[in-house]
């Protein structure tokens, strides 16, 4: 997007947020209009209510897992509380980002969510990789290292399986 | 909320056409009425920002690296050679270069510096082509033939725009298309050659077929291939073949540096005779397509447009960024879609590749200059043409290789290892040339 | 998910420990009782399959490329130099090489050819180390010191196994660990140097820290870094520093070819004096870690183990393949998880890189041999040491570069552009050496 647009969006965005701050009702309305409430659903189509999620939705359908897992299986904690907390947080973040248009593109997963993601990989594949994991107490440091850098010092599943979620 | 509504609206409004566009719509501004986003970015190729090794500031390269004056001595490039910049400047820069002002150049120069589609057609009609054939490729080939051999001053009056929408797009479908006869001839020669081209699957397919009709990019090439071929109409090595100054791409044996050299040998081509040494030498020009072809990106199906015209989101729609420029000025769109590293990291990787190339380039230029001066001295000392023959051959082939990477505009990025290999050969051949010369010149008394 | 669950039982077995493993468990077979899958693959390093440029058939490289006899003349490598093969052979191959049979070698050789952990500790105890310190790194450093300077024949009797589980793993946690003092010294020197090492983030972090304690791979390195460092204990350039034959990795200025050369200059090191030319020259040995460090894979966090010990699915579980070998023999596991191309395509890409390297290697060896013969002739013709000094220097540095890539075992794959750059410099320097020589030798009368 051009800088000109960028600043325009930002101003409108800030205006919007102030509004939200004052009137919670309006906040809900924003989320409503942005269909962020679709976070309350597990249906992948809920995610694509935001066109911005279209690419990942399409690529997910072509990736190895479309039959095995939906968005929330990978991207949200499986335990009840954590799931709803994350839904709240991400739902808010995404609506806000969508409104402010101030996020980095191409969209990149945030460290926190990357950790949730990996946890979910293991959740489903425990059996296959259990041998590897249990053999290495050093695995424990893995999540801690997420902050480290983007050069793969952390040996996460995605280091080698970057295609599983959304294809090459 | 305002903008959510706006954007949901935008999402729908993408392909609504205001004006009708035909094969005769030359002015990009008119196209811009239907495609304002692409037109906006297209106009931005006037920007002039510099990068580590590229960018758009048209400084004098001969001052930055005086060795080039020696290497090109006797050829127009030794008078004026600048950093290239955006498409918006292609026509003025050609009209204003000392290479045009001080030397006679043919209309053939215009093939790559202007929107010539319409000019070619008009010339063909004037040349007697039946009016109903004006929109056929025959017309383009006819006009090509006529304008190539015109004097530049005359030909340049037939064009008004730099490369424009019409040159790259079919006005009906907006599909990317090939309009340049020189490329069609060149890619056909390549298709008929034996050089493996894994990065151009449609050529490989054509080779396996019955070859009844010659290879035609407009019907045979995939969309992804066209996203590179459209650039390969201009970003390639070329020469003006005798007798009609026919713009020709030397791909008859393949796209590699030695295969092109081989073709020039077969057709007995030289660009000029070097002023200091009397060697018949070659000048390389912007072989981006040829070098890219040897790289891992081409092999992985990554097209020129993927990096130089990356899809960019404007509001709700994604458009190809027509602000064609150095990807280093927009790494997020150009690279991060495929490479999950920070912008700093990506820039650092490019710097490593380009710095290595630069270092080798310096050694190669030193070696070539060393050879030129050695031959010059020997000649002055009275060495005969027979005696100098081998050394001159070595100058031709070493200089050709060094120049190939020097003229290529990515500082080795398009194919890092291949660029290094070519420079290594340039160095080897130039040094061997020096050894040849020493054999035949009186030895400076030492020891 | 049915199929996943049904594999449960099978899966659990893999981590059930049958026997207890301690720091004193030297025999891999015992470890194999707990980790049968890893042990099975470990044993398979006896296989001997050949690839285009690598593989595991221990043929005589001196016959395949006789130029090497000239280049190494006067040094043991000119007598016997074979293609390397699997870890299972490391001890026998060392015991049986003519380089050991015909020449005196020190115990230092064993550092990388045997399971030495236990031997080091026993030697330290014998040397007076208190028994309660036997499992400290102090013990390893002590034994290292003692065994390095022993005669090979004596030292080799202290070991029975090729590199084994104990050398790479902590028996309690099975975490990968560093056991070699030479590497710990080397990586510390590197950490203290100024050479940027973006591929080793933990070194960069240590540099930013207060440096109170020296860098320690076993506590500071990430798991992914250890997956390469464990190999870098052996797959590196080395020399035996005087007076105690201390195995030393020359990383004090950095990992690049010229930085290592600089270090050897600073400590006044030479491997031998060339028999034909009298030049004090260097021998490079397997700088896999050093070259990999300059490549895009290292920079992308891809470790040795990712490609040479890829996870392999065995029934319901996946394990690191301990059949360490050429990845070309198992492209599916080694490459395809990251590169979604057909096996043929992946092999073709490697071939392109390696063929380019091979071509440059040939030119480089020709140039070096040319220089050697030139100096030899000049010497025979009576050229003085003063007159030959510069040419000999050039032999040293050109030969060093050519040898660096020749000794490196990936035929340039680990860092394609860097390998090409190094060979280009080798060629340039060797040819310049020849020009030096011509200056001082009677010129064959021509013209
Ligand atoms: Ca430029
Ligand atoms: Ca081998």
């Amino acid at each position: 997007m051009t800088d000109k647009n960028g600043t325009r969006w930002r101003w409108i965005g800030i205006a919007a947020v102030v509004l939200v701050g004052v009137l919670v009702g309006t906040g809900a309305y924003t989320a409503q209009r942005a269909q962020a409430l679709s976070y309350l659903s597990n249906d992948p189509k809920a995610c694509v209510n935001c066109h911005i999620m279209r690419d990942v939705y399409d690529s997910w359908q072509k990736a190895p897992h479309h039959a095995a897992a939906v968005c929330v299986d990978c991207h949200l904690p499986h335990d009840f509380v954590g799931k709803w907390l994350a839904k709240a947080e991400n739902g808010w973040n995404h609506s806000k980002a969508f409104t402010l248009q101030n996020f980095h593109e191409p969209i990149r997963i945030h460290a926190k969510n990357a950790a949730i993601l990996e946890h979910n990989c293991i959740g489903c594949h425990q059996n296959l990789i259990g041998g590897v994991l249990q053999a290495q107490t050093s695995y424990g440091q893995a999540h801690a290292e997420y902050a480290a850098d983007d050069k793969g010092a952390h040996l996460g599943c995605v280091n080698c399986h970057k295609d599983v979620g959304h294809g090459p | 909320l305002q903008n959510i509504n706006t954007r949901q609206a935008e999402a729908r409004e993408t392909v609504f056409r205001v004006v009708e566009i035909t094969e005769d719509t030359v002015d990009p501004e008119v196209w811009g009425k239907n495609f304002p986003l692409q037109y906006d970015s297209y106009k931005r190729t006037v920007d002039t920002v510099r990068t580590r090794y590229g960018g758009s500031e048209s400084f004098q390269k001969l001052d930055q690296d005086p060795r080039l004056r020696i290497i090109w001595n006797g050829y127009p490039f030794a008078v004026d050679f600048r950093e290239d910049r955006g498409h918006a400047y292609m026509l003025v820069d050609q009209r204003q270069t000392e290479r045009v002002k001080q030397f006679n150049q043919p209309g053939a120069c215009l093939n790559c510096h202007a929107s010539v589609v319409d000019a070619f057609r008009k010339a063909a009609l004037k040349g007697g082509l039946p009016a109903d054939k004006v929109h056929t490729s025959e017309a383009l080939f006819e006009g090509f033939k006529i304008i190539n051999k015109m004097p530049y001053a005359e030909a340049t009056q037939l064009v008004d725009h730099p490369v424009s929408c019409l040159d790259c797009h079919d006005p009906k479908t907006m599909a990317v298309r090939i309009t340049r006869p020189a490329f069609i001839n060149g890619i056909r020669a390549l298709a008929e050659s034996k050089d493996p081209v894994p990065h151009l699957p449609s050529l490989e397919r054509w080779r396996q077929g019955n070859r009844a009709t010659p290879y035609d990019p407009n019907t045979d090439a995939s969309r992804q291939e066209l996203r590179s071929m459209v650039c390969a109409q201009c970003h390639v090595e070329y020469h003006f073949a005798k007798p009609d100054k026919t713009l020709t791409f030397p791909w008859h044996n393949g796209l590699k540096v030695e295969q092109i050299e081989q073709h020039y040998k077969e057709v007995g081509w030289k660009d000029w005779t070097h002023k200091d040494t009397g060697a018949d030498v070659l000048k390389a020009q912007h072989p981006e397509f040829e070098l890219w072809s040897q790289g891992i990106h081409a092999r992985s199906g990554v097209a020129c447009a993927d990096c130089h015209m990356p899809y960019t989101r404007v509001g709700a729609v994604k458009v190809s960024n027509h602000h064609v420029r150095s990807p280093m000025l927009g790494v997020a769109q150009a690279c991060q879609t495929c490479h999950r590293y920070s912008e700093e990291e990506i820039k650092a990787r490019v710097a490593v590749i380009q710095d290595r190339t630069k270092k080798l380039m310096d050694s190669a230029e030193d070696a070539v200059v060393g050879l030129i001066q050695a031959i010059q001295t020997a000649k002055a000392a009275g060495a005969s043409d027979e005696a100098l023959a081998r050394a001159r051959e070595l100058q031709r082939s070493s200089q050709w290789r060094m120049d190939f990477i020097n003229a290529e505009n990515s500082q080795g990025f398009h194919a890092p290892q291949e660029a290094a290999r070519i420079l290594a050969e340039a160095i080897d051949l130039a040094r061997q040339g020096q050894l040849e010369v020493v054999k035949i010149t009186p030895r400076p008394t030492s020891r």
Side-chain angles (χ1 to χ4, degrees), chain B residues 426-439:
Chain B
I427 294 168
D428 197 8
L429 295 164
R431 297 295 183 195
Q432 286 182 41
Q434 286 177 287
L435 286 164
E436 277 297 321
V437 177
V438 183
K439 280 208 204 118

Side-chain angles (χ1 to χ4, degrees), chain A residues 128-141:
Chain A
L128 184 78
I129 53 171
V132 183
L133 296 181
Q134 294 182 34
Q136 292 142 359
T137 52
S138 60
Y139 173 80
Q141 81 193 88

Side-chain angles (χ1 to χ4, degrees), chain A residues 1 5 9 12 16 26 29-30 33-35 51-52 55 98-99 101 103-106 108-109 150-151, chain B residues 1-8 10 312-316 318 332-333 336-337 339-342 345:
Chain A
M1 116 176 74
N5 281 342
W9 293 139
I12 299 171
T26 330
Y29 178 60
T30 310
R33 289 303 301 266
Q35 286 123 340
H51 56 75
I52 211 103
D55 291 355
F98 192 71
T99 308
Q101 289 291 307
F103 52 90
H104 177 277
E105 289 189 85
R108 281 289 173 262
I109 194 158
D150 60 5
K151 284 192 234 58
Chain B
L1 345 161
Q2 173 45 30
N3 74 64
I4 287 166
N5 301 333
T6 326
R7 208 152 320 95
Q8 281 170 348
E10 269 170 349
T312 309
R313 194 172 62 83
V314 184
K318 279 202 171 166
Q333 283 77 25
Q336 284 184 325
T337 38
H339 298 288
R340 316 180 61 85
Y341 314 111
S342 68
E345 172 61 15

